[in-house]
Structure formats: structure tokens, C-alpha cells
Amino acid sequence: LTRSGHVYHSIRYADGLWQSGWHTPPGVPADVVSIAATSDGRAGQTQYLVATRGGGAYHSFRYPQGSWQTTWETPPGAPTNAVSVAATNDGIPGQTQYLVATKSGDVYHSLRRDDGWTLWSTPPGLTGGAVSIAASSDGIAGETQYLVVHGFGVRHSIRHADGSWTSWTTPFGLPPSVASVAVTGDGHAGETQWLAATSGGEVYHSIRRANGAWETWGRPPGVPADVVSIAAAQG
């Protein structure tokens, strides 16, 4: 995503080579302000959600043979004042989950299944004021974990495969003044790893174990100063 709101896509193949050139996905909206990408459990297939300056949310597929969904479509019932998006697979082939934060600070969640989208709804117990969101599968089929940064601090929750949510709680030992967060599963069922960047540009890392315990938040060695954006992925 560039400052001008244009989106470019590439692939790094398993042999270490990159796709020839970065290309704008066909039909992607202009004036994009936030992007999210995830695998969906089908080999070579990925799904994307973007938010535009006008508050629209748009979704697309990139299929294994390299073609894209014909048009970028607004998920039915999606918020119309989106400013930030997050996406994750959940261990069920073809199924993905999304969070969208709006200009008013509200957060909405939906699943995209093979038969379409579920209703967009605010996760129970989550207050408004969101400024940063992160989402990840945790290695348990159908289960996902989320972190939301808002005016009242940072909150974590798990959405279980049966659709229930845990209470939103503050991770133990979190550094002050967190401005953005990133998360990934790490291959151990129920376990996730997290990065948090502060308003002063410092970066901290923690692991949430499957038993609910958080590792002490620490500074990754050698991380640059004055960080403004972070990302995480399972290796």
C-alpha cells in the first residue's frame, strides 16, 4: 500500500524467487487506507480485505492459478465507515475471519464461509474507541485470537469454534502507550505470538501459551528504533 492509496501484490515462491514485478490486483479500489491478507487453507489460495478513504470495505480472492476474483465486492452488511481491517484463516479450509474498525472506533467481526458471509456484529463485551486491531488463528480448528488497541487500553479475546467469545482482558505485563499490534500462530495448538509497538516507536514481544499464561513482554534484540508499523507470520 503506497501513500497515494495504490495497492501492489507479489509472490515469493518456495524456491526463494519472487514473481516478476509487483502488480496492481485487477479491480482493486483506489484510495485504500488499510489492507489485510490471509491464506484460507487451500493450497495457493489467498483472500484479501481493504478499507478505502471513503470508509468502504472490499474483499477479493487470488486463486491458485493466478487469477483474481472478477470484482472486489463489499461483504454484505459490512460497516460503511471502515478505517482498519484484519484477516485470518481459522484452520477450516476455505473459511476466513475478519475484524473491521470504524471511524467511530467500533469493531465488527464476520466469517466468510464457502456458502457466504455471516452477519457483521460487535464481539460481546468490547467497548468502542479502537485504533489498532490484530487477528490470528491459533492452530485449533475454527478458533481465532484477537487484540484490540483502543482508548481504554489493550484487550485480548478468543473466539471459539462454537462462536462463543472469552472476556476481553488486558494481557499481563503489556508495555504502556501501545499504538499498534500484530499477531500470529506459531504451530503449537492454542499458542500465539504477539508484537506491540508503542507511540514512542519501541517494539515488544510476548507469547500467549495455550494455558492462558503470557510470557513477559520483552524487546526483541536488534529491533530498529522509531518503528511505526509491525507484522507477524508463522514460519
Side-chain angles (χ1 to χ4, degrees), residues 82-219:
V83 295
S84 184
V85 292
T88 181
N89 67 80
D90 66 5
I92 297 174
Q95 185 164 289
T96 46
Q97 299 193 31
Y98 299 88
L99 276 190
V100 171
T102 68
K103 293 177 183 176
S104 60
D106 296 316
V107 175
Y108 295 89
H109 170 270
S110 182
L111 284 78
R112 193 192 187 285
R113 300 181 172 129
D114 281 338
D115 61 358
W117 293 80
T118 63
L119 292 175
W120 289 85
S121 59
T122 298
L126 184 63
T127 56
V131 296
S132 180
I133 53 179
S136 179
S137 62
D138 65 4
I140 297 174
E143 186 169 287
T144 45
Q145 297 192 30
Y146 301 89
L147 210 61
V148 174
V149 181
H150 56 68
F152 305 103
V154 182
R155 301 287 186 269
H156 168 269
S157 184
I158 298 173
R159 186 187 185 279
H160 298 297
D162 63 4
S164 63
W165 293 75
T166 63
S167 298
W168 289 86
T169 58
T170 299
F172 177 76
L174 193 73
S177 304
V178 171
S180 62
V181 287
V183 59
T184 181
D186 66 3
H188 297 284
E191 186 169 287
T192 45
Q193 297 198 31
W194 305 79
L195 286 183
T198 69
S199 56
E202 297 177 330
V203 175
Y204 293 83
H205 170 268
S206 182
I207 299 174
R208 186 187 185 280
R209 307 292 183 184
N211 64 4
W214 288 82
E215 184 182 86
T216 300
W217 289 83
R219 301 283 306 277

